[in-house]
Amino acid sequence: MSAVLQPRSMTAELEGHFRAFPDIPREVVLKIELLSRGHWFTDAALAATKGSLVKSYRLFSYDLVSMDSLKRGEARQVPEWFFVFQGPYDLRPVMVQTTMDPNSPYVVDVVDGRLVLTEGGRIICNVSYPTEPAYYKKKFDDGVLYHEIIAYGYFVTVFRQCQYWGPKEECRFCDINENARQMKESKEFTLNAPTKRPEYVEEVGREVSREVLATDGHQAGVRFLITGGTITKTLQGMTEDEFYARYLRALKYGGPRRHVALQTNAKTKDETKWLHAQGMDEHNANMEVWDRRLFEWINPGKNRRIGYDEWVRRLVDSVDVLGEFNVRPNFVGGIEMAKPHGFATIKEAVDSTTAGLEFMMSHGVDPRFNQWRREPKTNLVKEHEQPPVPTEFYIRLMTNRYEIWKKYGLSLPVKREFTVARRYMGNDHGTYDDFPLLMEAPWYQDPRCRTPEEVLARAAGWTTPRKLSIHGPADAG
């Protein structure tokens, strides 16, 4: 009788990566896996989300399944991100953006009254959900919730659609238009208009500053990111620059100690100067992929309207206006290997993007990497099967980014943000901040700090930890 081969468990694969890359933080490897393959929540884990920072669907869906396939009302229950920590691998806490997929091997569950991450019935680590801010309960007279105007005190999507429309214009990884459509069809959101009222943005920005004053005991600085779809001609009678400038002014000059980033197409030096005068401190002209051939394929609208060489030139020129590392384009890490035209090998893909990292950082540009989520209604996924990008790709690329980060002497990615976790623990959507923080931040080197509360108390200098997350059903509500 022949033996039946059992499928290799993801836990075994995780441990294989730990052995293959012993100098890489294990927290990074797990986070890469959770963003790449998604995760799911049992009924018990879903019930424990009450009182947590709810997922905003702020720009894209960041899910591996469409919203209409979520039958338990998950879209208005799951957290924006969650923390993974401790467990048999003694992990330090990192933030993971919620990426729903019922077919994922990774499942958040409740065991012995605690939230845990499991795979095949095995516990990988503990989990907790961030608690919601006080302003999340507030709403305008027309019923629009404050947090649908500004998510987690930072993210402001002011135009929910994009005028790059259809397969000949849209960026192939992007589901901004489909996400706006599914949010409206769900009837679960209080704001379905394609644009946000500037006076609403200004008021919620003020509420964010008021809450910071109340929680921190002084008027600490805050950051906002203004983003939205491309405006190729006009919107509400305004050009792209004119439209977004209204929100720059509302946030930059609507309260104290503001750092305001704008995310749009690449701008000329004169346009950057004008937007800077309107209140823009930082610009994110998202290039998405470094390789010229892939840029032309992945970004047909951006390539037609601006082009590769001009995009790169504008990134470099913007540094002269905004200063070193205040030009922060996003790259969708992993689309270098998208089928059918992406690189065939990990080495080719890593080498290409690493060359871009070297060029950009040597010119004062700070590239960010949002890990590709393979949303089902994007052009890339609809037209070709897209398997998960190998975890090794992300490990090697982010290792290279960290080495180049050290080479050019960048500071630790600590930012004065509304959410204390985002101040000291980086971002939820990728691992580019996790590398330098886990390797060098003092609060991550202290073996006594293993829960989110302990790490953040150490980082912020609090004498006692504060309640910042939900660890189980007893904390929910």
Side-chain angles (χ1 to χ4, degrees), residues 415-449:
K415 302 173 287 292
R416 292 303 301 178
E417 289 208 19
F418 170 79
T419 305
V420 67
R422 286 176 54 85
R423 294 181 201 173
Y424 301 111
M425 295 175 66
N427 289 289
D428 58 340
H429 57 249
T431 58
Y432 58 98
D433 281 349
D434 296 290
F435 258 85
L437 288 168
L438 288 164
M439 298 294 276
E440 300 191 15
W443 47 92
Y444 271 130
Q445 313 315 315
D446 190 335
R448 298 168 299 176
C449 299

Side-chain angles (χ1 to χ4, degrees), residues 140-375:
F140 292 96
D141 291 342
D142 60 4
V144 172
L145 289 162
Y146 274 36
H147 70 80
E148 291 188 24
I149 300 296
I150 300 180
Y152 50 92
Y154 171 74
F155 207 98
V156 197
T157 305
V158 297
F159 180 34
R160 293 305 307 255
Q161 297 173 351
C162 181
Q163 292 181 0
Y164 287 148
W165 193 269
K168 293 184 179 180
E169 289 285 305
E170 288 179 339
C171 296
R172 298 186 186 278
F173 66 87
C174 175
D175 74 344
I176 182 174
N177 291 322
E178 292 288 353
N179 188 46
R181 183 180 299 113
Q182 70 174 1
M183 290 174 70
K184 183 176 182 179
E185 290 174 352
S186 76
K187 298 181 171 57
E188 295 288 341
F189 296 81
T190 64
L191 179 65
N192 291 306
T195 62
K196 294 178 179 177
R197 295 167 58 175
E199 63 269 27
Y200 277 20
V201 171
E202 184 171 357
E203 170 54 28
V204 179
R206 286 176 177 154
E207 187 63 28
V208 167
S209 288
R210 287 191 285 264
E211 188 165 337
V212 165
L213 176 60
T215 57
D216 284 21
H218 68 283
Q219 193 62 73
V222 291
R223 298 165 61 93
F224 297 104
L225 171 64
I226 299 168
T227 187
T230 293
I231 301 167
T232 57
K233 294 181 181 178
T234 61
L235 179 63
Q236 299 175 350
M238 291 171 279
T239 65
E240 181 173 87
D241 290 354
E242 293 168 340
F243 175 83
Y244 282 106
R246 298 183 303 164
Y247 301 97
L248 285 171
R249 294 190 293 268
L251 288 175
K252 181 64 176 180
Y253 306 116
R257 301 187 68 182
R258 305 287 183 80
H259 178 98
V260 182
L262 176 63
Q263 189 162 271
T264 65
N265 283 279
K267 300 298 180 183
T268 66
K269 182 176 283 189
D270 285 343
E271 288 173 323
T272 303
K273 289 178 180 178
W274 186 81
L275 290 166
H276 184 41
Q278 302 303 306
M280 181 178 75
D281 299 300
E282 174 188 316
H283 191 226
N284 303 342
N286 295 346
M287 192 172 175
E288 322 301 4
V289 65
W290 177 256
D291 179 78
R292 178 191 297 271
R293 176 181 60 86
L294 294 181
F295 178 91
E296 294 170 355
W297 171 54
I298 295 287
N299 307 315
K302 291 179 177 180
N303 183 59
R304 177 189 60 79
R305 191 176 181 216
I306 297 175
Y308 182 92
D309 289 328
E310 181 64 17
W311 199 285
V312 174
R313 182 180 301 111
R314 292 181 182 187
L315 289 178
V316 173
D317 285 348
S318 295
V319 175
D320 295 338
V321 180
L322 299 173
E324 299 284 304
F325 306 111
N326 280 320
V327 178
R328 307 187 71 222
N330 187 67
F331 290 77
V332 183
I335 57 171
E336 298 92 334
M337 301 192 74
K339 309 295 184 183
H341 301 303
F343 290 108
T345 68
I346 292 171
K347 184 179 187 308
E348 290 174 304
V350 170
D351 287 351
S352 171
T353 303
T354 299
L357 284 167
E358 176 67 37
F359 175 86
M360 286 182 283
M361 288 190 175
S362 71
H363 286 83
V365 176
D366 183 12
R368 301 170 296 120
F369 286 82
N370 192 323
Q371 191 168 314
W372 184 28
R373 238 50 70 79
R374 300 177 292 123
E375 291 98 334

Side-chain angles (χ1 to χ4, degrees), residues 51-54 130-138 147 150-153 208 211 215 418-419:
S52 69
L53 180 79
V54 68
T131 54
E132 69 176 1
Y135 88 87
Y136 264 48
K137 297 184 185 301
K138 301 195 72 170
H147 70 80
I150 300 180
Y152 50 92
V208 167
E211 188 165 337
T215 57
F418 170 79
T419 305

Side-chain angles (χ1 to χ4, degrees), residues 43-59:
D43 289 346
L46 196 62
T49 62
K50 188 176 181 181
S52 69
L53 180 79
V54 68
K55 183 169 178 174
S56 61
Y57 289 86
R58 57 188 185 253
L59 185 63

